[in-house]
Amino acid sequence: MESLKETSVETAKKLGLLPEEFDKICTLLGRKPNFNELSIYSVMWSEHCSYKNSITWLKTLPREGPHMLAKAGEENAGLVDIGDNLACAFKIESHNHPSAIEPYQGAATGVGGINRDIFTMGARPIAQLNSLRFGNLNNERTKMLMRGVVKGIGDYGNAFGVPTVGGEVYFEDCYNTNILVNAMSVGIVEHGKTVKAISAGEGNSVYIVGSATGKDGIHGATFASGDLHEDSHEDLPSVQVGDPFQEKLLLEATLEVIATGAVVGMQDMGAAGIICSTSEMSAKGNHGMIIHLDKVPTRQKNMEPWEILLSESQERMLIVAEKGKEHLINAVFEKWDLNCTCIGEVVKGEQLKFYMNETLVAEVNAESLVLGGGAPVYKRDYKEPAYFKQNKLFNIDEIKVPSDLTVIAKQLASHPNICSRRWVYTQYDSMVGTINMSTNKPSDAAIVNIKNSKKALAVSVDCNARYVFADPEQGCAIAVAEAARNIVCTGGEPSAVTNCLNFGNPYNPEVYWQFVHSIKGMSKACEKFQTPVTGGNVSFYNQSKIGDNDVPVYPTPTIGMIGIISDKNKAATLAFSNAGDQIFLIGSSKNCIASSQYLVSTYNVNNSPAPEFNLDEEYDVQQLIIQLIKTGCVQSVHDVSDGGLFISLLESAMIKGLGFEINSDEDIRKDAFLFGESQSRVVVSVSEEQMDEFISIVADSGVDFTNLGVVTQGEIIVDEDKFGNISEYSKLYQEKLESEMAH
């Protein structure tokens, strides 16, 4: 058997291993590995599986919080207590490289994989979100990728039967080659009904359940741990193929089999397939396994041992079943007409032995393969990029205030990074399961109903990568703050965070500097809001070709956050309710246009600092908003973010066809007042009946607030200048993306 021959350092390099890593493998084994064993180490020691270039810094993130039930790294997903004897499992992960090569299947299998992480723990997925980054919308390739990604997410999620309740889409040139597709899933489980990803109990049976194993996705983890290149399309076998109907069956069977009490441990077969599940579960349980690869159900004949071990075919699980209760496992999966095959057993020690037709084809130590065990750990060199000093040289006084701000307002309302994402979200089923409370009552975060409870979940994904590029520490802190602000503006209290850290090549010291400082900013903000990081995903090697140069994508540390709404009847909306209501700004506007969409799209200025932001000020604003919503003295609540104050007002007004009349601050440039993106600001509307209580609360808070003006029947007026009618802005806002994608 060719795969049993000794390998060399040259073979190791071809599989993505460093020479020193090959030497370490030889030391661990006491001999040179055969090809099966080298392939095992190449995927398990890839960045995608081992986090070897990131784990040192990931360990500095806060992991303690008031609701925590499972810390980062302990389980397949984060787990937090939400009261009423319920817990929430949630996680976000990337599927960037597969989606850049084969957008439909790449995005679809990203959705499938993240949902399996949730229901493998025993939680039923109830909501999905996504964060997408594409290149220039004028490029035909961008449109092709976007069509494929959105259809892949929609087709898989819709067929699987879990609503897509929120997300974000951005367009920047740096994503022209390497798009970003981050998928998030949220699930609910009763206390005491979760299952661990662990192997234990000598003699217990090891089952593979779900789909048959094929050659799709082989070396997918290695593929995700390197740069895309002009021949990457030839790596299509590294892209998995998904089947949402099979996944739906697997979901129901998994939850049913957990209820039998026969399951000792269970893990999804995601990156690196069988070898990942067997090694991680064994290492956690301090046991070994004997696995017979010839017993694995396969879709193709004559698959090599390494192909079976590394395949990332979708909709598969590894189950360790309690000895003597195998019949319970078999009965459930027979009912759901799914493969259920015993392929091995749990043994003493920590050795994994893999056989093919009774021939031992690989023997490795489980602990030596995994993160926290023998997998290598590196702390890369980093240095401040030259552009960072250039950003700080930005001077607002060198930018002239446009003579006609109405033109700017309409341009921003129709900008691809600001306009309605209706073309995207209408392809997603947002109402399946009847738990999405945001469809008829739009809010800053998605609100997901918890049935048979007073409570609801508020969920959000956020990251303005332009801010992070401008200043990674400040920009990432802003990403956390905005996720929290969105949850607070719905009436929720932030609970915990999952993250998807998308960066360029970690061997580039300037990229690694962005990564390190993003982690520092995230830590600072998460500690302030008491939102521990429960886990997530690191995606390095995201590069795009601009001209003749390979340029890293903007550092994009996407923040997924959940919050708890204690009384869903008091959940807030961002929509203005009635003409005549007063409009207030909570927080203070600044003389700042740094890193704003206005500055970039109007003046083509790409080098400026992150917007003004003070973490203490942000916290105080959010605490005030929580109090205002609880007391019921506001009609609407909407944060100020992309596009600035004007766009926030517009978004609140459009929903019911209303308008607004406001006055600007004479101490602040008018373009900064309307379109600047300084942080820690929230727009609220207040009825006449609510006014006395509202004024009393905000006056006692010590937080700056301003009476901006009044809600109108539809006209938009700024400092007595007519900016037009809400109907023309609604047309620009709603139809821009649909128009672009139509041709």
Side-chain angles (χ1 to χ4, degrees):
M1 190 177 289
E2 190 72 22
S3 60
L4 293 180
K5 289 184 178 180
E6 274 190 2
T7 53
S8 65
V9 69
E10 286 73 24
T11 311
K13 287 179 182 177
K14 290 178 182 177
L15 292 177
L17 290 162
L18 300 172
E20 56 267 33
E21 291 173 344
F22 180 75
D23 291 341
K24 183 178 179 180
I25 293 166
C26 293
T27 300
L28 286 167
L29 295 176
R31 56 180 170 79
K32 287 186 178 180
N34 63 41
F35 187 77
N36 298 319
E37 292 162 339
L38 191 63
S39 295
I40 285 170
Y41 279 100
S42 75
V43 293
M44 291 305 297
W45 285 8
S46 68
E47 178 64 36
H48 193 74
C49 291
S50 73
Y51 297 137
K52 60 188 177 184
N53 291 307
S54 56
I55 189 61
T56 297
W57 288 100
L58 295 179
K59 285 182 176 179
T60 67
L61 290 167
R63 299 196 288 176
E64 300 286 347
H67 306 135
M68 292 293 290
L69 295 174
K71 294 180 183 178
E74 288 184 348
E75 298 298 339
N76 285 333
L79 193 68
V80 295
D81 184 11
I82 58 174
D84 297 338
N85 199 40
L86 295 174
C88 175
F90 68 110
K91 190 179 183 183
I92 189 169
E93 281 197 340
S94 65
H95 234 223
N96 301 337
H97 286 186
S99 300
I101 300 302
E102 212 299 291
Y104 181 85
Q105 288 294 352
T109 52
V111 171
I114 196 64
N115 278 308
R116 283 196 304 281
D117 279 339
I118 301 305
F119 69 75
T120 305
M121 292 180 66
R124 178 175 291 277
I126 60 169
Q128 301 173 136
L129 301 92
N130 53 71
S131 174
L132 311 177
R133 299 293 191 286
F134 298 100
N136 193 309
L137 191 54
N138 293 321
N139 296 343
E140 284 306 310
R141 182 173 183 273
T142 295
K143 293 177 183 178
M144 178 274 292
L145 291 170
M146 187 171 173
R147 290 187 184 102
V149 165
V150 172
K151 184 168 175 55
I153 291 171
D155 284 0
Y156 200 103
N158 297 352
F160 182 54
V162 176
T164 301
V165 299
E168 57 178 9
V169 184
Y170 283 95
F171 302 91
E172 300 283 357
D173 287 355
C174 65
Y175 305 111
N176 277 341
T177 302
N178 201 134
I179 63 174
L180 303 183
V181 176
N182 297 174
M184 180 174 172
S185 181
V186 180
I188 297 290
V189 61
E190 290 182 30
H191 285 292
K193 294 190 176 181
T194 55
V195 170
K196 291 184 175 294
I198 195 169
S199 168
E202 183 184 358
N204 283 338
S205 298
V206 179
Y207 279 83
I208 187 169
V209 301
S211 293
T213 297
K215 294 188 179 185
D216 54 315
I218 293 173
H219 269 297
T222 310
F223 172 57
S225 302
D227 293 332
L228 291 176
H229 48 81
E230 60 184 12
D231 296 322
S232 287
H233 63 280
E234 296 179 3
D235 293 329
L236 272 175
S238 294
V239 180
Q240 309 95 322
V241 177
D243 181 347
F245 300 103
Q246 190 85 338
E247 176 123 329
K248 176 62 174 173
L249 296 176
L250 188 58
L251 161 66
E252 300 302 337
T254 298
L255 297 182
E256 190 170 321
V257 81
I258 290 170
T260 67
V263 176
V264 175
M266 182 187 307
Q267 183 163 321
D268 162 42
M269 285 185 193
I274 290 174
I275 186 55
C276 185
S277 300
T278 54
S279 60
E280 290 183 350
M281 291 176 72
S282 295
K284 278 184 183 175
N286 298 312
H287 278 71
M289 288 184 186
I290 291 175
I291 300 293
H292 298 277
L293 297 175
D294 50 288
K295 293 184 179 180
V296 174
T298 57
R299 293 204 293 265
Q300 280 118 348
K301 292 181 179 179
N302 303 318
M303 286 183 69
E304 292 285 336
W306 63 272
E307 292 177 316
I308 297 172
L309 280 165
L310 272 58
S311 168
E312 295 181 12
S313 293
Q314 298 291 284
E315 293 88 36
R316 300 178 303 157
M317 304 283 204
L318 195 76
I319 293 178
V320 173
E322 186 177 336
K323 191 172 181 62
K325 294 185 178 180
E326 292 89 349
H327 63 287
L328 299 175
I329 305 285
N330 290 320
V332 170
F333 285 94
E334 184 178 349
K335 169 188 171 182
W336 291 98
D337 195 24
L338 291 168
N339 286 319
C340 177
T341 305
C342 181
I343 61 171
E345 64 176 325
V346 178
V347 296
K348 279 184 179 179
E350 296 182 350
Q351 291 298 105
L352 298 173
K353 294 183 179 182
F354 298 98
Y355 289 85
M356 191 77 172
N357 300 318
E358 299 186 3
T359 299
L360 181 65
V361 294
E363 182 176 358
V364 292
N365 180 279
E367 186 74 12
S368 75
L369 296 173
V370 301
L371 166 68
V377 175
Y378 302 116
K379 194 170 182 180
R380 297 296 175 195
D381 293 334
Y382 57 94
K383 69 174 184 179
E384 181 181 292
Y387 79 79
F388 188 62
K389 284 182 180 160
Q390 186 182 346
N391 288 356
K392 293 186 176 299
L393 296 176
F394 173 75
N395 183 356
I396 190 173
D397 295 331
E398 294 176 0
I399 304 295
K400 292 184 178 180
V401 179
S403 57
D404 190 346
L405 292 176
T406 307
V407 172
I408 303 298
K410 292 177 180 177
Q411 288 174 346
L412 285 176
S414 61
H415 193 281
N417 283 343
I418 290 174
C419 70
S420 169
R421 302 312 195 241
R422 186 170 64 182
W423 182 88
V424 175
Y425 66 70
T426 52
Q427 297 185 53
Y428 303 153
D429 189 339
S430 62
M431 290 304 294
V432 61
T434 63
I435 59 171
N436 184 357
M437 296 175 62
S438 302
T439 303
N440 299 319
K441 190 178 180 181
S443 52
D444 279 4
I447 304 175
V448 182
N449 187 24
I450 302 174
K451 294 184 177 181
N452 303 315
S453 170
K454 282 181 61 180
K455 296 179 177 178
L457 291 177
V459 291
S460 180
V461 289
D462 280 286
C463 181
N464 187 312
R466 192 186 305 117
Y467 299 171
V468 187
F469 173 77
D471 184 333
E473 188 165 336
Q474 188 90 322
C476 193
I478 289 173
V480 175
E482 185 173 357
R485 196 186 319 138
N486 284 336
I487 283 170
V488 163
C489 287
T490 66
E493 296 196 35
S495 178
V497 159
T498 179
N499 59 46
C500 198
L501 309 179
N502 308 274
F503 290 82
N505 192 318
Y507 293 87
N508 179 336
E510 295 186 352
V511 166
Y512 206 72
W513 179 88
Q514 293 173 330
F515 173 75
V516 169
H517 284 269
S518 294
I519 294 292
K520 290 180 178 180
M522 190 186 308
S523 293
K524 181 172 61 176
C526 285
E527 286 171 359
K528 185 70 176 180
F529 296 114
Q530 287 191 292
T531 51
V533 177
T534 62
N537 174 221
V538 177
S539 175
F540 281 135
Y541 304 99
N542 295 293
Q543 313 271 132
S544 283
K545 188 170 282 295
I546 297 181
D548 295 327
N549 300 317
D550 284 321
V551 178
V553 299
Y554 279 170
T556 312
T558 306
I559 302 297
M561 187 180 288
I562 68 158
I564 301 167
I565 299 175
S566 56
D567 185 351
K568 58 193 173 193
N569 293 319
K570 292 184 177 180
T573 178
L574 62 82
F576 289 156
S577 297
N578 306 291
D581 286 350
Q582 295 294 306
I583 304 170
F584 286 85
L585 179 67
I586 306 296
S588 58
S589 292
K590 308 289 196 305
N591 206 41
C592 171
I593 57 173
S595 287
S596 64
Q597 189 64 61
Y598 158 67
L599 179 65
V600 173
S601 57
T602 305
Y603 294 98
N604 199 30
V605 174
N606 291 294
N607 288 98
S608 64
E612 287 197 30
F613 173 69
N614 180 284
L615 192 53
D616 292 330
E617 183 180 341
E618 176 76 40
Y619 182 81
D620 291 343
V621 166
Q622 292 193 21
Q623 293 304 302
L624 174 57
I625 295 298
I626 289 171
Q627 187 180 2
L628 290 172
I629 293 173
K630 280 185 175 178
T631 55
C633 61
V634 285
Q635 290 289 315
S636 67
V637 186
H638 187 25
D639 82 317
V640 177
S641 56
D642 302 337
L645 175 63
F646 185 88
I647 295 299
S648 293
L649 291 164
L650 199 62
E651 289 170 342
S652 290
M654 282 188 293
I655 294 163
K656 294 187 176 181
L658 298 168
F660 53 89
E661 181 175 358
I662 62 167
N663 292 302
S664 63
D665 187 330
E666 294 180 354
D667 295 330
I668 296 175
R669 283 173 48 135
K670 199 164 181 177
D671 58 345
F673 182 81
L674 292 176
F675 311 125
E677 297 177 15
S678 61
Q679 299 295 294
S680 313
R681 293 181 294 159
V682 177
V683 171
V684 300
S685 61
V686 184
S687 68
E688 184 178 345
E689 295 77 16
Q690 296 167 319
M691 189 64 70
D692 288 345
E693 186 177 11
F694 171 81
I695 294 296
S696 174
I697 291 172
V698 294
D700 289 343
S701 71
V703 173
D704 289 339
F705 70 102
T706 308
N707 188 335
L708 293 173
V710 64
V711 179
T712 68
Q713 292 286 358
E715 51 282 336
I716 297 174
I717 301 169
V718 179
D719 294 333
E720 300 183 354
D721 293 332
K722 293 183 178 179
F723 269 53
N725 191 278
I726 195 67
S727 59
E728 57 183 306
Y729 282 95
S730 293
K731 185 176 177 63
L732 290 168
Y733 182 85
Q734 295 290 350
E735 297 179 4
K736 173 65 176 181
L737 194 56
E738 291 179 342
S739 173
E740 290 287 343
M741 295 305 294
H743 45 318

